Amino acid sequence: MNISTFIYVFTLVFTLWLPVIDALSTNMTKNLKVLVSSNDFPDSAVALLEEHFTVLKSRYINFGEEGLNENKQELLNLIPGCSALIWVSHHQITKELLDKAGPQLKIVSTASAGYNNCNLPELKARGIKLTNTPDVLSAAVGEIAVSLMIAAARRFTENLDQVRRGEWEIGFQKVLGQDLRGSTVGIVGFGGIGQATAKRLAGFEVGKFIYTGHNEKPQAKEFNAQLVPLDELLAESDFILLSAPLTDETRHMINKTTLAKMKKNAIVVNVGRGDLINQDDLYDALKNNQIYAAGLDVTTPEPLPKDHKLFTLSNLFVLPHIGSATVRTRNDMAILAANNVINALYGKPLLTPVRL
């Protein structure tokens, strides 16, 4: 048999056996269990996982009181023997849950960009990999960031109250707001969300973009954005966007001291995490008109109690953490989270790993 014939025969045999090999591989991975922490994880991603593994899914939502009570207990019952955990929640991953899982747990795949609730020290100590879902939600969160800027600048809280009361303040100088046109927008956290927001603001004729961070971003050139120290950003910005991750360094970065460095017409918008802001200090600054307004998609806690003092302010506009809440974005996040699990359990490179 010459070499050409051998290659032809080998290729033919391999092609015929490939479906069999794939089937055997799939049957082997069906023994692996994947736990989905919340009952509202998209069906499209569950179906993708079920092609490869045995999927267990909580009957309860993993948010709010239900997540802390019924869901928590069910997860403790379901997780023993699982090889992967898809975390769909703003609640903390507890040491108790990881202890219950056992040593075969290989990966936690969180369906979110942030991962401050994922107990990084415990995951690292146990050799468990962690992934998140950045970038796929940047466009949707950027849209909410722009919406909050407009809502706070144009005094939506006051104006909506007028409409509901049927008592409109009519006059040439009544309820005047601030312009995005010609303004300086300072972005704290010029990653995917910060850049997506800048891209969407371009059509509003913003005067200048500045940002702060540890390093210059090559993408900043697209927006003529300039890297500046935080103090300079606070002093110059008309709009201050918080889109940074929550770390020990960024926790309560907006506080009495930093608020005092802002312009009187400054508007603070937070689409990152609630604890980027000391809310007591923000309340004082808004109540005393030390800054102009604020728009929040994230708070501490979530949900914010309906009798919270922040809701007494007319220069604050609050949304219930809906930054990524579109059909397309949530589905994309779920599919990415599922594919990270598939890659991890097949020994392939992770798509969006978190460095522990």
Side-chain angles (χ1 to χ4, degrees), residues 301-330:
E302 291 181 356
L304 202 61
K306 62 182 180 180
D307 59 351
H308 195 282
K309 62 183 179 180
L310 283 173
F311 289 130
T312 66
L313 299 168
S314 61
N315 54 349
L316 176 69
F317 190 81
V318 182
L319 292 174
H321 202 156
I322 59 168
S324 65
T326 70
V327 174
R328 175 178 176 177
T329 299
R330 290 285 169 86

Side-chain angles (χ1 to χ4, degrees), residues 49-110:
L49 289 167
E50 287 176 337
E51 293 177 13
H52 303 271
F53 315 112
T54 297
V55 178
L56 308 178
K57 185 169 75 168
S58 174
R59 295 170 297 169
Y60 304 101
I61 193 169
N62 196 7
F63 293 88
E65 290 300 317
E66 187 172 316
L68 290 172
N69 298 308
E70 294 90 347
N71 178 275
K72 178 182 177 181
Q73 187 55 54
E74 184 169 57
L75 293 179
L76 290 171
N77 294 336
L78 291 175
I79 201 168
C82 287
S83 297
L85 170 64
I86 290 189
W87 195 246
V88 193
S89 180
H90 56 224
H91 294 310
Q92 292 287 327
I93 293 178
T94 63
K95 184 177 182 295
E96 180 185 16
L97 184 66
L98 296 175
D99 286 342
K100 283 280 189 179
Q104 80 296 318
L105 185 65
K106 303 299 182 188
I107 179 173
V108 170
S109 179
T110 181

Side-chain angles (χ1 to χ4, degrees), residues 17 30 47 51 55 58 61-62 93 101 110 155 163 165-166 170 196 205 211 222 239 246 280 288 327 332 344 352:
W17 273 93
K30 279 289 187 180
E51 293 177 13
V55 178
S58 174
I61 193 169
N62 196 7
I93 293 178
T110 181
R155 301 167 68 167
V163 173
R165 288 186 291 107
I170 299 172
E205 303 175 42
Y211 69 99
E222 178 183 349
F239 293 84
L246 179 63
D280 289 332
N288 297 324
V327 174
D332 288 347
T352 50

Side-chain angles (χ1 to χ4, degrees), residues 39-283:
N39 69 3
D40 58 352
F41 193 62
D43 291 340
S44 57
V46 173
L48 179 60
L49 289 167
E50 287 176 337
E51 293 177 13
H52 303 271
F53 315 112
T54 297
V55 178
L56 308 178
K57 185 169 75 168
S58 174
R59 295 170 297 169
Y60 304 101
I61 193 169
N62 196 7
F63 293 88
E65 290 300 317
E66 187 172 316
L68 290 172
N69 298 308
E70 294 90 347
N71 178 275
K72 178 182 177 181
Q73 187 55 54
E74 184 169 57
L75 293 179
L76 290 171
N77 294 336
L78 291 175
I79 201 168
C82 287
S83 297
L85 170 64
I86 290 189
W87 195 246
V88 193
S89 180
H90 56 224
H91 294 310
Q92 292 287 327
I93 293 178
T94 63
K95 184 177 182 295
E96 180 185 16
L97 184 66
L98 296 175
D99 286 342
K100 283 280 189 179
Q104 80 296 318
L105 185 65
K106 303 299 182 188
I107 179 173
V108 170
S109 179
T110 181
S112 62
Y115 46 84
N116 55 289
N117 60 334
C118 289
N119 206 334
L120 272 60
E122 281 295 327
L123 295 179
K124 183 176 181 179
R126 298 165 190 256
I128 300 171
K129 296 175 181 178
L130 176 65
T131 60
N132 65 336
T133 58
D135 300 330
V136 294
L137 50 69
S138 296
V141 180
E143 291 170 3
I144 286 296
V146 174
S147 300
L148 284 168
M149 289 180 181
I150 294 171
R154 300 301 298 271
R155 301 167 68 167
F156 274 20
T157 299
E158 292 172 77
N159 286 306
L160 286 171
D161 182 58
Q162 287 187 51
V163 173
R164 288 170 181 144
R165 288 186 291 107
E167 300 174 6
W168 296 16
E169 293 186 37
I170 299 172
F172 197 65
Q173 293 289 325
K174 296 291 187 180
V175 201
L176 302 185
Q178 301 284 342
D179 284 296
L180 270 166
R181 180 183 54 171
S183 68
T184 295
V185 175
I187 300 176
V188 182
F190 201 56
I193 292 171
Q195 292 166 32
T197 304
K199 183 176 182 179
R200 282 150 181 79
L201 285 172
F204 287 88
E205 303 175 42
V206 166
K208 182 170 67 172
F209 290 106
I210 56 179
Y211 69 99
T212 188
H214 294 116
N215 302 294
E216 285 195 28
K217 297 282 188 178
Q219 301 89 338
K221 294 179 181 178
E222 178 183 349
F223 311 101
N224 294 317
Q226 180 185 358
L227 176 67
V228 298
L230 178 61
D231 283 354
E232 185 175 335
L233 182 145
L234 296 174
E236 291 190 9
S237 298
D238 302 298
F239 293 84
I240 297 168
L241 172 66
L242 306 178
S243 54
L246 179 63
T247 65
D248 291 339
E249 180 184 3
T250 61
R251 186 180 301 276
H252 286 185
M253 66 183 307
I254 302 303
N255 53 50
K256 184 176 182 179
T257 300
T258 51
L259 285 161
K261 297 176 181 179
M262 297 178 189
K263 294 180 176 181
K264 189 173 178 63
N265 70 305
I267 295 169
V268 176
V269 168
N270 188 8
V271 295
R273 285 291 183 266
D275 274 334
L276 295 176
I277 296 177
N278 181 316
Q279 290 179 172
D280 289 332
D281 292 348
L282 178 65
Y283 171 82

